[in-house]
């Protein structure tokens, strides 16, 4: 069965790139640009993985990860955090919020796909 990945990214070019790469690798993709739609969309589509930008307009990706982990229906979904602001201590803070994986931007395709495959539950 095809794995579904939700891509949360407010930058149009990054979202398109992530979605195109994932589709080219055989995944179904659910793009989300607005942080306020993340939790409702995740509940509606039940993705196998969430790729979460940390710097979203109006809401922190860290807060969204924490909210998803508190939600009974979303808690088991692994989250791959992606951020352009990789300061000292950020990875620890983001993982403490519940992210299973962490990548800093700019993201190269090979490490990105390796991280995605590592976090997806076996089919």
């Amino acid at each position: 069965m095809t794995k579904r990945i939700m891509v949360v990214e407010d930058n149009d070019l990054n979202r398109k790139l992530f979605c195109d790469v994932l589709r080219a690798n055989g995944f179904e993709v659910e793009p989300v640009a607005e942080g306020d739609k993340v939790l409702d969309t995740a509940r509606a589509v039940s993705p196998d993985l969430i790729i979460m930008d940390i710097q979203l307009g109006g809401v922190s990706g860290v807060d969204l990860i924490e909210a998803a982990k508190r939600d009974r229906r979303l808690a088991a979904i692994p989250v791959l955090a992606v951020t352009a602001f990789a300061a000292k201590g950020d990875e620890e803070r983001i993982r403490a919020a519940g992210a299973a994986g962490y990548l800093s931007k700019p993201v190269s395709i090979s490490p990105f796909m390796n991280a995605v495959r590592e976090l997806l539950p076996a089919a």
Side-chain angles (χ1 to χ4, degrees):
M1 194 159 113
T2 303
K3 298 288 185 182
R4 177 176 290 151
I5 300 175
M6 192 169 101
V7 176
V8 181
E9 171 63 71
D10 60 353
N11 178 287
D12 293 340
L13 288 174
N14 287 341
R15 189 175 57 255
K16 181 178 180 347
L17 173 66
F18 292 159
C19 290
D20 288 351
V21 168
L22 291 166
R23 285 186 187 110
N25 280 274
F27 296 104
E28 273 184 45
V29 179
E30 185 68 37
V32 178
E34 300 87 19
D36 61 347
K37 294 184 178 170
V38 170
L39 299 175
D40 288 339
T41 303
R43 287 184 201 105
V45 302
S46 298
D48 297 293
L49 173 67
I50 298 172
I51 296 173
M52 178 76 70
D53 182 21
I54 296 302
Q55 302 296 127
L56 295 166
V59 64
S60 161
V62 174
D63 291 344
L64 289 171
I65 294 169
E66 289 173 337
K69 293 303 170 185
R70 286 191 304 267
D71 187 306
R72 192 177 88 248
R73 290 167 49 203
L74 305 178
I77 301 169
V79 177
L80 173 59
V82 182
T83 184
F85 301 98
K88 187 168 173 55
D90 279 356
E91 181 173 359
E92 292 78 12
R93 183 175 58 88
I94 290 165
R95 286 184 181 276
Y102 174 92
L103 287 174
S104 58
K105 294 177 189 172
V107 176
S108 298
I109 290 173
S110 182
F112 174 74
M113 285 311 303
N114 288 341
V116 165
R117 288 190 182 100
E118 191 177 296
L119 293 177
L120 279 171

